[in-house]
Amino acid sequence: MPYKNKLEIMRDNFLVQIELLNNEIILIEAGKKGLEILNSTFEEVLKGITGGFHARIGAEREEVQELLLLIKIPLETFDSQPIQNSTMKVQISVEQLRIFTQILSEACHGIKILDFENKIGTTKNQLKSFLDVSINLYESIEKSI
């Protein structure tokens, strides 16, 4: 089954688009709210998993923190200067997409996040929709390689 090279989700003006540039690079484009949600999700998962991190995520904590930096840097740009575009772009590898998907999965299904909507910035159902998009893209890439 051929994969779609561009997937996006929009709910309540939260836009995150994932696009496969080639078999090695994925482009994530998100508005400020989308980046804030991704940032909060990563931070809550990093705080919420106290043991067995590698077994649950399939990566070391440092790898997840490096991936989080790729989200934080454009988010800080929104805060520090007027932006002409309403979105920022982040490039990640297929391996980072796998980690990204695991983080979203832990936030949706693994760890308990009290007051989810306030801490993450969106509903669990909306984050699950984005998780589904990420999983579909990752699985499509894996099948095509």
Side-chain angles (χ1 to χ4, degrees):
M1 171 190 262
Y3 58 85
K4 294 180 182 178
N5 70 343
K6 191 182 235 183
L7 300 165
E8 63 184 49
I9 182 169
M10 183 189 286
R11 301 271 196 281
D12 301 328
N13 299 322
F14 157 51
L15 171 69
V16 177
Q17 178 176 290
I18 302 177
E19 180 178 356
L20 180 65
L21 296 180
N22 59 44
N23 282 339
E24 298 174 11
I25 298 174
I26 290 90
L27 180 69
I28 298 173
E29 185 172 358
K32 183 176 181 185
K33 180 161 176 63
L35 290 174
E36 288 171 342
I37 289 167
L38 295 176
N39 182 63
S40 299
T41 302
F42 271 66
E43 288 181 348
E44 288 299 317
V45 170
L46 282 165
K47 283 191 292 188
I49 298 176
T50 55
F53 192 87
H54 190 277
R56 291 175 80 168
I57 301 298
E60 298 298 329
R61 218 173 256 281
E62 293 76 23
E63 292 174 276
V64 173
Q65 289 169 333
E66 287 174 17
L67 186 52
L68 177 57
L69 273 178
L70 294 177
I71 296 166
K72 281 185 177 274
I73 291 169
L75 185 56
E76 290 170 0
T77 304
F78 272 114
D79 293 335
S80 66
Q81 58 183 298
I83 304 281
Q84 297 295 328
N85 274 337
S86 60
T87 62
M88 297 293 262
K89 296 176 182 177
V90 176
Q91 289 185 4
I92 62 173
S93 68
V94 174
E95 175 60 15
Q96 288 172 317
L97 176 62
R98 184 193 61 75
I99 296 167
F100 184 89
T101 301
Q102 284 300 113
I103 292 291
L104 293 174
S105 180
E106 280 295 322
C108 292
H109 306 295
I111 63 171
K112 180 145 180 93
I113 300 173
L114 299 174
D115 198 19
F116 188 96
E117 198 165 332
N118 285 328
K119 285 185 179 175
I120 300 298
T122 191
T123 66
K124 190 176 270 193
N125 283 338
Q126 289 173 341
L127 196 64
K128 283 180 184 175
S129 295
F130 187 59
L131 170 62
D132 292 341
V133 168
S134 301
I135 288 170
N136 289 336
L137 180 60
Y138 181 75
E139 288 176 349
S140 296
I141 294 167
E142 284 297 299
K143 288 177 186 175
S144 71
I145 295 178

